[in-house]
Amino acid sequence: MKRNYSSEFVEFQPEDKYAAAQREVKRLKGFYTHLIVYIAVNILIVFINIRDLDPEESYFKLENFFTAFFWGIGIVAHGFSVFLPNWIFGRNWEEKKIKELMEKEKSEKWE
């Protein structure tokens, strides 16, 4: 990646844009794959739990939802990282921090 840090704005070459688009597609594919596996596994767990129920026993017990709940937290976090990348420590934050550190290092060398 060729980046020009001397100017105010970072200019991306066409190769950088293509590579960034490839990374984004890979991230989306990873999330959708994770979501499909989550749904498939949890459907399988539901069928197994229903099959193993005693007569007159209710399916709605806390232990039947642990996997879906905790894995669901992971799915939500994964979704945030894919669809809201600038939410906490996103690319904009990274680039601002890089510029800040480079300016700090530059000013320390001249002192």
Side-chain angles (χ1 to χ4, degrees), residues 41-80:
V41 168
N42 281 293
I43 288 172
L44 182 64
I45 289 171
V46 167
F47 284 127
I48 290 171
N49 286 341
I50 288 174
R51 185 192 68 189
D52 293 342
L53 283 178
D54 292 329
E56 307 285 328
E57 185 179 11
S58 173
Y59 177 76
F60 297 101
K61 295 184 282 186
L62 190 59
E63 66 246 16
N64 289 337
F65 298 100
F66 279 143
T67 303
F69 178 74
F70 289 109
W71 193 355
I73 292 171
I75 288 284
V76 169
H78 192 173
F80 280 162

Side-chain angles (χ1 to χ4, degrees), residues 2-108:
K2 297 178 183 177
R3 293 185 179 165
N4 182 4
Y5 288 109
S6 62
S7 67
E8 177 81 19
F9 299 101
V10 177
E11 295 180 26
F12 289 99
Q13 300 298 323
E15 300 85 31
D16 292 339
K17 290 179 182 178
Y18 182 78
Q22 274 186 318
R23 282 191 305 274
E24 186 64 24
V25 167
K26 212 177 239 190
R27 291 176 57 189
L28 284 168
K29 183 179 177 184
F31 172 74
Y32 289 130
T33 301
H34 190 184
L35 183 62
I36 289 169
V37 170
Y38 169 80
I39 291 168
V41 168
N42 281 293
I43 288 172
L44 182 64
I45 289 171
V46 167
F47 284 127
I48 290 171
N49 286 341
I50 288 174
R51 185 192 68 189
D52 293 342
L53 283 178
D54 292 329
E56 307 285 328
E57 185 179 11
S58 173
Y59 177 76
F60 297 101
K61 295 184 282 186
L62 190 59
E63 66 246 16
N64 289 337
F65 298 100
F66 279 143
T67 303
F69 178 74
F70 289 109
W71 193 355
I73 292 171
I75 288 284
V76 169
H78 192 173
F80 280 162
S81 74
V82 171
F83 296 107
L84 301 173
N86 296 324
W87 188 43
I88 295 177
F89 293 116
R91 176 167 289 153
N92 291 339
W93 179 84
E94 289 176 6
E95 298 213 5
K96 284 181 193 175
K97 198 64 175 173
I98 288 170
K99 287 179 185 177
E100 177 186 317
L101 292 173
M102 289 178 70
E103 289 297 321
K104 182 179 177 183
E105 184 178 321
K106 185 178 177 181
S107 67
E108 287 176 358

